[in-house]
Amino acid sequence: MLISELSADLQCPQPLKASFLTPDCQLPLLLEWDTAVVQNIDFQCLLNWLTEHQTWLEERLLTYGGILFRGFPVATAEDFELFVKTLKLTCAPYTQGLSPRNRVHNLVYTSTEYPAYKPITLHNELTYSSHPPKKKFFFCETPPEEGGETPIVDSRVIYQKMKPSIRNRFIEKQVCYFKRMPDGEKRTFDILGKSWQQQFETSDRQEVETYLIKENIDYAWQEDGSLTTRQFQPGVTEHPVTHEPIWSNQVNQFHYSTYGETGELLRKMVGEEALPINAFYGDGTAISPETIQTIRELLLDKATLFHWQKGDVLMLDNLLVAHGRMPYVGDRRILTAMGN
């Protein structure tokens, strides 16, 4: 759909105004205060507006995939959580969360705490699980000095632009996500990733097993106390509300090639299934690094990048839009929450 055809959608309830960051990109939709209508606004006024216009917001989110709230009085993790809850969403914990992060306030977390030089490939959050979050939120507490953008890309566009040979293979075979999680009480080096205690936020094996059985996840305890799991999910699916076909998965993030030369070295030394994470086709056959690289390049090529400003809140439909992180310089503190 052309931007001109969507002009009617940009009629925004006062005192907000809607626009795009650039004329040729519709993701994200940008919402700001209209200073011609209201000069100053406080946090409670923002919450009141969110309460009154939830239907309007939901319709726009399904159209554009993401909404960026800019210039609003959101200052703390507590404010951010109230923002999310005002939209009648239940914040979700990071059970099975793959990446290192810390809880800041209730169910508000730091974004992935990887080294600043390391990019994070684009992905739809927790789509290796049976119940991925419907919404994904980011809040900019401290913008980076340089870089550090959160690239976002429309999963509908990726579905349309993906090579048919690759897309059809994932439709037919689906994806097997593999994890090997060390015992947090025995681990000796960090390359094995987060322990099963960290991923499930408990040290109780029975509690973990109950969760895995409920979620229909294949699992096995290893002699060294580590836990291996296999989760089978679609590589291509349809959105539960719009019923549009979408490329919504984390295959490029799980694949051993995400570790670069280290991943290839480890694969040759210990085998693919001894790695902390890996992705296979659903029938157990290997996915080539060339296929994964094609996927990564397409995701980044079609992505939107924008510079964070202090107080920005980004709301994404987690299935319609994938996100990542670019390398950065200086301090950067982006908080995140998930909503269902």
Side-chain angles (χ1 to χ4, degrees):
M1 189 177 293
L2 298 174
I3 291 176
S4 59
E5 295 173 327
L6 291 170
S7 59
D9 276 353
L10 296 182
Q11 299 303 312
C12 183
Q14 291 185 347
L16 272 65
K17 61 180 180 179
S19 62
F20 299 117
L21 288 170
T22 60
D24 60 346
C25 183
Q26 299 174 17
L27 175 66
L29 179 68
L30 175 64
L31 295 185
E32 302 171 282
W33 288 123
D34 189 344
T35 55
V37 176
V38 174
Q39 291 296 317
N40 298 302
I41 198 77
D42 61 28
F43 183 60
Q44 188 58 51
C45 289
L46 169 60
L47 298 184
N48 292 343
W49 189 94
L50 293 174
T51 300
E52 294 169 7
H53 299 98
Q54 288 183 34
T55 300
W56 185 89
L57 283 170
E58 186 65 26
E59 290 173 349
R60 299 317 178 273
L61 189 65
L62 289 173
T63 298
Y64 299 103
I67 299 175
L68 176 62
F69 298 81
R70 173 159 284 177
F72 296 93
V74 183
T76 65
E78 291 83 353
D79 290 347
F80 179 46
E81 184 182 45
L82 273 175
F83 185 105
V84 175
K85 288 184 174 180
T86 299
L87 296 172
K88 295 184 178 178
L89 294 169
T90 301
C91 291
Y94 266 92
T95 304
Q96 289 197 75
L98 188 67
S99 55
R101 65 180 75 240
N102 289 304
R103 192 188 299 251
V104 177
H105 174 76
N106 293 332
L107 294 177
V108 173
Y109 298 80
T110 59
S111 55
T112 299
E113 296 183 348
Y114 280 166
Y117 68 86
K118 182 179 177 64
I120 299 173
T121 56
L122 286 111
H123 61 282
N124 304 81
E125 196 73 40
L126 287 172
T127 42
Y128 52 86
S129 68
S130 301
H131 306 288
K134 303 297 188 298
K135 306 287 194 303
K136 175 77 173 176
F137 294 82
F138 297 92
F139 163 56
C140 179
E141 194 173 75
T142 305
E145 178 183 323
E146 181 181 326
E149 301 91 345
T150 297
I152 51 178
V153 67
D154 194 315
S155 301
R156 295 165 291 194
V157 172
I158 299 304
Y159 174 87
Q160 294 164 2
K161 300 296 184 181
M162 187 65 65
K163 288 183 177 180
S165 59
I166 293 178
R167 185 179 63 206
N168 293 339
R169 204 174 305 139
F170 280 96
I171 292 174
E172 176 188 355
K173 296 189 174 186
Q174 301 193 328
V175 183
C176 171
Y177 296 101
F178 173 84
K179 289 184 186 179
R180 188 182 185 97
M181 295 160 275
D183 185 337
E185 297 178 358
K186 299 179 180 179
R187 64 186 300 170
T188 56
F189 51 99
D190 289 336
I191 199 166
L192 291 177
K194 291 173 68 174
S195 68
W196 60 263
Q197 291 95 333
Q198 291 172 316
Q199 291 209 27
F200 294 97
E201 299 185 341
T202 180
S203 297
D204 187 331
R205 280 196 179 200
Q206 185 58 55
E207 186 177 338
V208 172
E209 290 183 9
T210 299
Y211 175 89
L212 294 170
I213 292 169
K214 179 183 176 183
E215 297 298 316
N216 196 31
I217 299 171
D218 294 344
Y219 71 94
W221 295 102
Q222 306 301 319
E223 291 184 2
D224 62 357
S226 64
L227 172 65
T228 59
T229 61
R230 286 175 173 80
Q231 295 170 262
F232 299 86
Q233 298 294 341
V236 175
T237 185
E238 69 172 31
H239 192 273
V241 177
T242 68
H243 302 293
E244 298 166 285
I246 51 176
W247 178 272
S248 184
N249 59 60
Q250 288 184 243
V251 65
N252 65 306
Q253 191 176 50
F254 262 74
H255 194 266
Y256 72 83
S257 61
T258 193
Y259 293 107
E261 293 181 1
T262 301
E264 181 62 27
L265 179 61
L266 280 172
R267 186 183 71 86
K268 291 179 178 178
M269 289 175 58
V270 300
E272 293 187 2
E273 294 196 2
L275 297 172
I277 56 173
N278 205 354
F280 304 89
Y281 290 116
D283 62 2
T285 56
I287 305 172
S288 72
E290 292 76 19
T291 293
I292 296 298
Q293 186 59 26
T294 298
I295 294 169
R296 289 191 183 124
E297 289 174 356
L298 178 62
L299 286 165
L300 193 56
D301 180 64
K302 300 301 179 184
T304 299
L305 279 75
F306 65 89
H307 296 291
W308 285 108
Q309 295 184 16
K310 186 177 178 62
D312 280 352
V313 175
L314 178 64
M315 176 170 67
L316 302 177
D317 183 304
N318 183 50
L319 298 181
L320 288 180
V321 175
H323 66 277
R325 193 201 72 187
M326 304 302 290
Y328 64 93
V329 175
D331 293 333
R332 179 186 188 271
R333 188 170 169 86
I334 307 295
L335 304 185
T336 185
M338 304 183 297
N340 285 315

